[in-house]
Amino acid sequence: MGLVCLPILALSQGLIINTPNRDTTSLNGKWNYIVDPYETGYYSFHKEVYDETNVTSPSAYYNNYHAKNKSELVEYDFDKSPLIQVPGDWNTQKENLFYYEGTVWYKKSFDYDLKENRRLFVCFGAVNYRADVYLNGTKLGIHEGGFTPFDFEITSLVKPRENYLVVKADNKRLLEAVPALNTDWWNYGGITRDVILIEEPAVFIQDYAIQLKKGDRNIIAGIVTLSNPVIDEKITLSIPELEIEKQLTTNAEGKAKFEFTVGQNTGKEIKYWSPESPKRYEVILKTDRQVLKENIGFRTIETKGPDILLNGRPVFLRGISIHEEYQGRRAFSEADALALLTWTKELGCNFVRLAHYPHNENMLRLADKLGVMVWEEIPVYWSIDFTDKLTLANAKNQLTEVITRDKNRACVIIWSMANETPLSEARNSFLINLVNHAKTLDTTRLISAALLTREENGVGIIDDKIGEYLDIIAFNQYRGWYGGDLATAPDAKWTTPYSKPVVVSEFGGGAKQGLHGTKNERWTEEYQEYLYRQNLLMIEKMPNIRGMSPWILTDFRSPRRVLPGIQDGFNRKGLISDTGKKKKAFFVLQDFYKKMKLQYD
Ligand code: GCU
């Protein structure tokens, strides 16, 4: 539903949430595609953007134009163009697109009989990086950001037969983008997540937040938002298992706020969501036009001095970092998410850091179901243009979209604003802006960012100024890999001025699976194993240490890693290889978490 602002950028002026439980039609499958490095289908030879002129040009690829006779000149044809799988990245599906960065056009034809008084939306789980979307030749809008969902209404445009949905996907890296020019992950391009059609009544439940009130474990509070500003619309919110049924009425904005104490008349008590028992309740929202179901867990998360309290009890975050990659390609399916979380559970984790961007919604819904606490992050990664107002608006929009999508997931406990950003006043005000924005959208979760540290007289210091604005002090350190001695690591001193929980959001080292040698030989499993042992001994002595998410669960592709015979385009810091084989360090961390679990249980 739409876009406004900055050319016609899709800002989440109202994302439709909980898409899996709505009346949907999948458009996944084979799509025709055209590789267009010169954006010939978008610009005239004088660089005029076709869709900004009032002329319907047959040369504009989104018109899906076909020659009407043998003399007419048309220099593209989707229907004769090759096919590619959606969802999926183009890099690992087509060898000649492995390194490709630029524009690829996608086209999908479909029929749809939309009944009277019904509305239709097309929803994308994600398109990397910029998507220009058209239906039947009409521009629906633009979305920027490769890792968050967006949707457009197509009620007035859809036809019963032969609709053509065209997406111009462009993964060019840009200085002013988020992320910007430099990342240590593969810039997978394309329609990387599900595409669905959603049919809704004229006025429908578009968004809602249903969680425990901040700091109160017996009050459920929240808001339900309709698609339209309709006053006095009746909504029934029920949670059958807790014998809760509340009648809500919308205000002039089509919103209904609520707050109620659980068990007042029923004596029913909430079973709180936790990794040990990831209890979720079926929540039903009903109007006289629709019924919408959702599974929601209820838990409180807060900090108290150096402690992180889950449901009021101190918890240690036994974590691991994960990229959205499986078997050397962009992960997209539930099966991919299950494979990654199964390894995570096998490690003995109760926490994952989904790096460095919002992952697929199915990963969050599975973490909710399986009982894994989650750190979610937006890709404000390394150096981005902290002085550019449009870059800030873009980053804020990605934050809005991920919080809108996942705010009802009990498993999400931390929103992270950034990773390893260089110190500057511009950077500080940029991040403070994001922190404040996140707090306006969600008061119930903790805010953090992965910080860098400095050293003075051999002591590691975590005193980044931005720490004042964060609930959790998290930092990345690579003792024994990018510097520092492993033998003396266990005696290393660390200090921080913040009496807040400390989380080591990254540590680790590379190993080629199957390469063996002494503990001092880099790239061997023995070196990585020793690095883990020494770092864990160092970390457990750190001040206020309340968690960690070592770098990283599996080896992953990166254009920055080119050492022949060892890296070959992969960052090898995984505890598991890209082909699924565990390295020795996997078991070092598994043992450590067994011990930690006993300490906190
Ligand atoms: C950085 C960064 C990661 C990167 C890792 C590495 O800290 O946050 O994205 O992959 O270090 O160097 O392996």
Side-chain angles (χ1 to χ4, degrees), residues 184 356 381-382 419-420 476 478 482 506 551 556 561 571 573:
D184 190 28
H356 293 288
Y381 180 90
W382 289 347
N419 179 74
E420 294 190 350
N476 301 349
Y478 279 88
Y482 291 127
E506 288 181 35
W551 194 258
F556 62 95
R561 312 295 174 173
N571 182 314
K573 295 192 179 74

Short mmCIF file of all heavy atoms in Angstrom, two decimals, residues 184 356 381-382 419-420 476 478 482 506 551 556 561 571 573, ligand 1:
data_model
loop_
_atom_site.label_atom_id
_atom_site.label_comp_id
_atom_site.label_asym_id
_atom_site.label_seq_id
_atom_site.Cartn_x
_atom_site.Cartn_y
_atom_site.Cartn_z
N ASP A 184 31.15 -7.19 3.33
CA ASP A 184 31.84 -8.49 3.33
C ASP A 184 30.81 -9.59 3.14
O ASP A 184 30.80 -10.60 3.87
CB ASP A 184 32.61 -8.68 4.64
CG ASP A 184 33.54 -9.91 4.57
OD1 ASP A 184 33.98 -10.25 3.46
OD2 ASP A 184 33.79 -10.51 5.63
N HIS A 356 23.60 -8.95 8.37
CA HIS A 356 23.65 -7.59 8.86
C HIS A 356 22.43 -6.83 8.37
O HIS A 356 22.49 -5.63 8.19
CB HIS A 356 24.90 -6.89 8.33
CG HIS A 356 26.19 -7.43 8.86
ND1 HIS A 356 26.59 -7.23 10.16
CD2 HIS A 356 27.16 -8.15 8.24
CE1 HIS A 356 27.77 -7.83 10.32
NE2 HIS A 356 28.13 -8.39 9.19
N TYR A 381 26.10 -0.41 7.56
CA TYR A 381 27.26 -1.29 7.69
C TYR A 381 28.52 -0.57 7.24
O TYR A 381 28.57 -0.03 6.13
CB TYR A 381 27.01 -2.51 6.80
CG TYR A 381 28.10 -3.56 6.76
CD1 TYR A 381 28.10 -4.62 7.66
CD2 TYR A 381 29.10 -3.52 5.80
CE1 TYR A 381 29.07 -5.60 7.61
CE2 TYR A 381 30.09 -4.50 5.73
CZ TYR A 381 30.07 -5.54 6.64
OH TYR A 381 31.03 -6.52 6.58
N TRP A 382 29.56 -0.57 8.10
CA TRP A 382 30.81 0.12 7.81
C TRP A 382 30.54 1.57 7.41
O TRP A 382 29.70 2.23 8.02
CB TRP A 382 31.60 -0.64 6.75
CG TRP A 382 32.19 -1.93 7.26
CD1 TRP A 382 32.27 -2.32 8.57
CD2 TRP A 382 32.78 -2.99 6.51
NE1 TRP A 382 32.89 -3.55 8.67
CE2 TRP A 382 33.21 -3.99 7.41
CE3 TRP A 382 33.02 -3.20 5.16
CZ2 TRP A 382 33.84 -5.16 7.00
CZ3 TRP A 382 33.67 -4.39 4.78
CH2 TRP A 382 34.06 -5.33 5.68
N ASN A 419 26.45 -1.70 12.16
CA ASN A 419 27.59 -2.58 12.39
C ASN A 419 28.90 -1.90 12.02
O ASN A 419 29.07 -1.44 10.87
CB ASN A 419 27.44 -3.86 11.57
CG ASN A 419 28.64 -4.79 11.78
OD1 ASN A 419 28.78 -5.43 12.81
ND2 ASN A 419 29.51 -4.83 10.77
N GLU A 420 29.79 -1.79 13.01
CA GLU A 420 31.18 -1.32 12.79
C GLU A 420 31.23 -0.03 11.99
O GLU A 420 31.94 0.07 10.97
CB GLU A 420 31.99 -2.41 12.07
CG GLU A 420 32.19 -3.65 12.91
CD GLU A 420 33.20 -4.63 12.32
OE1 GLU A 420 33.62 -4.43 11.16
OE2 GLU A 420 33.58 -5.57 13.03
N ASN A 476 32.38 -5.92 18.36
CA ASN A 476 33.07 -6.97 17.60
C ASN A 476 34.57 -6.91 17.94
O ASN A 476 35.14 -5.82 18.00
CB ASN A 476 32.90 -6.73 16.10
CG ASN A 476 31.44 -6.73 15.69
OD1 ASN A 476 30.55 -7.09 16.45
ND2 ASN A 476 31.18 -6.29 14.46
N TYR A 478 38.34 -9.27 17.24
CA TYR A 478 38.91 -10.43 16.54
C TYR A 478 40.30 -10.77 17.05
O TYR A 478 41.27 -10.91 16.28
CB TYR A 478 38.92 -10.17 15.03
CG TYR A 478 37.58 -10.43 14.41
CD1 TYR A 478 36.60 -9.44 14.33
CD2 TYR A 478 37.25 -11.70 13.95
CE1 TYR A 478 35.35 -9.69 13.81
CE2 TYR A 478 36.00 -11.98 13.42
CZ TYR A 478 35.06 -10.97 13.35
OH TYR A 478 33.81 -11.24 12.83
N TYR A 482 42.65 -10.73 13.50
CA TYR A 482 43.08 -9.46 12.89
C TYR A 482 44.10 -8.75 13.77
O TYR A 482 44.49 -7.62 13.50
CB TYR A 482 41.87 -8.55 12.64
CG TYR A 482 40.96 -9.04 11.55
CD1 TYR A 482 39.60 -9.20 11.78
CD2 TYR A 482 41.45 -9.38 10.30
CE1 TYR A 482 38.74 -9.68 10.79
CE2 TYR A 482 40.62 -9.86 9.29
CZ TYR A 482 39.27 -10.01 9.55
OH TYR A 482 38.44 -10.49 8.56
N GLU A 506 30.65 -10.21 17.73
CA GLU A 506 31.47 -10.98 16.80
C GLU A 506 32.84 -11.29 17.40
O GLU A 506 33.42 -10.43 18.07
CB GLU A 506 31.71 -10.22 15.49
CG GLU A 506 30.52 -10.08 14.57
CD GLU A 506 30.86 -9.33 13.28
OE1 GLU A 506 32.00 -9.50 12.77
OE2 GLU A 506 30.00 -8.56 12.82
N TRP A 551 31.24 -15.07 15.19
CA TRP A 551 31.20 -14.93 13.71
C TRP A 551 31.79 -16.19 13.08
O TRP A 551 33.00 -16.29 12.97
CB TRP A 551 31.96 -13.66 13.29
CG TRP A 551 31.68 -13.27 11.88
CD1 TRP A 551 32.49 -13.48 10.81
CD2 TRP A 551 30.48 -12.63 11.38
NE1 TRP A 551 31.88 -12.99 9.67
CE2 TRP A 551 30.65 -12.48 9.99
CE3 TRP A 551 29.30 -12.20 11.96
CZ2 TRP A 551 29.66 -11.91 9.18
CZ3 TRP A 551 28.32 -11.64 11.16
CH2 TRP A 551 28.50 -11.49 9.78
N PHE A 556 30.49 -18.30 4.19
CA PHE A 556 29.57 -17.58 3.29
C PHE A 556 30.36 -16.86 2.21
O PHE A 556 31.55 -16.56 2.39
CB PHE A 556 28.72 -16.58 4.09
CG PHE A 556 29.50 -15.51 4.78
CD1 PHE A 556 29.69 -14.27 4.18
CD2 PHE A 556 30.10 -15.74 6.02
CE1 PHE A 556 30.43 -13.28 4.81
CE2 PHE A 556 30.84 -14.77 6.66
CZ PHE A 556 31.01 -13.51 6.05
N ARG A 561 37.11 -12.11 -0.34
CA ARG A 561 37.90 -13.24 0.15
C ARG A 561 38.39 -14.10 -1.01
O ARG A 561 37.65 -14.96 -1.49
CB ARG A 561 37.06 -14.06 1.12
CG ARG A 561 36.35 -13.23 2.17
CD ARG A 561 37.31 -12.54 3.12
NE ARG A 561 36.62 -11.63 4.04
CZ ARG A 561 37.22 -11.01 5.05
NH1 ARG A 561 38.51 -11.17 5.26
NH2 ARG A 561 36.52 -10.22 5.85
N ASN A 571 34.18 -16.36 2.82
CA ASN A 571 34.68 -16.05 4.16
C ASN A 571 34.61 -17.37 4.92
O ASN A 571 33.54 -17.97 5.05
CB ASN A 571 33.80 -14.98 4.80
CG ASN A 571 34.28 -14.56 6.17
OD1 ASN A 571 34.60 -15.43 6.99
ND2 ASN A 571 34.29 -13.28 6.43
N LYS A 573 35.12 -18.15 8.09
CA LYS A 573 35.03 -18.09 9.57
C LYS A 573 33.87 -18.94 10.10
O LYS A 573 33.56 -18.92 11.29
CB LYS A 573 34.91 -16.64 10.05
CG LYS A 573 36.13 -15.79 9.75
CD LYS A 573 36.08 -14.48 10.49
CE LYS A 573 37.32 -13.66 10.19
NZ LYS A 573 37.27 -13.08 8.80
C1 GCU B 1 33.50 -7.76 10.45
C2 GCU B 1 32.12 -7.62 9.89
C3 GCU B 1 31.65 -8.86 9.21
C4 GCU B 1 32.82 -9.53 8.52
C5 GCU B 1 33.78 -9.98 9.59
C6 GCU B 1 35.03 -10.61 9.01
O1 GCU B 1 33.55 -7.57 11.71
O2 GCU B 1 31.15 -7.17 10.76
O3 GCU B 1 30.66 -8.51 8.30
O4 GCU B 1 32.43 -10.60 7.75
O5 GCU B 1 34.21 -8.90 10.34
O6 GCU B 1 36.00 -9.88 8.85
O7 GCU B 1 35.02 -11.79 8.74
#
